[in-house]
Amino acid sequence: QVQVANSGGGLVQAGGSLRLSCAASGSIFRINATGWYRQVPGKQRELVASITSGITSGGVTYYEDSVKGRFTISRDNTKNTVYLQMNRLKPEDTAIYLCRVAVGSEVYWGQGTQVTVSL
């Protein structure tokens, strides 16, 4: 069994920063990739950023166009933790952010953390 815990959300003014954490624990043999998604009521869940495990390389990253240059995804393999540094936040970034961890052929989701950006 694998547990995924998200943390780091909160309320911030536009232009501010937050850092989200996604920590996986339990029966982990190999994490293939970790992705951060966000969910807004009435809209489809969208992939914001992802990173492969990349044990020997730096890991391959992906960013959704609207967050490029503002968000940075990184990982600490020793802690099985992935971070999402969010800078220059905008009101349209307001959403529940969820972490998705692919372990072998299985996928696990965190509980989500609320990010609210005010004007």
Side-chain angles (χ1 to χ4, degrees), residues 1 6 19 24 33 38 58 73-74 85 87 89 95 99:
Q1 189 74 338
N6 302 158
R19 189 177 82 155
R38 61 188 178 190
I73 191 168
S74 62
Q85 178 67 43
N87 298 327
L89 282 160
C99 176

Side-chain angles (χ1 to χ4, degrees), residues 36-95:
W36 279 102
Y37 291 71
R38 61 188 178 190
Q39 179 82 61
V40 176
K43 293 187 177 181
Q44 274 194 323
R45 185 175 295 182
E46 67 170 351
L47 176 63
V48 175
S50 66
I51 186 168
T52 59
S53 60
I55 298 298
T56 56
S57 67
V60 177
T61 59
Y62 161 85
Y63 296 96
E64 194 269 330
D65 285 345
S66 69
V67 307
K68 285 180 180 177
R70 300 188 297 122
F71 291 11
T72 303
I73 191 168
S74 62
R75 71 188 192 292
D76 183 340
N77 287 334
T78 64
K79 298 179 180 179
N80 287 326
T81 299
V82 169
Y83 305 97
L84 184 67
Q85 178 67 43
M86 306 186 295
N87 298 327
R88 291 186 283 135
L89 282 160
K90 303 176 181 180
E92 50 264 43
D93 295 318
T94 295

Side-chain angles (χ1 to χ4, degrees), residues 95-109:
I96 294 174
Y97 284 72
L98 306 102
C99 176
R100 176 186 182 273
V101 179
V103 180
S105 61
E106 302 292 327
V107 172
Y108 300 90
W109 289 89

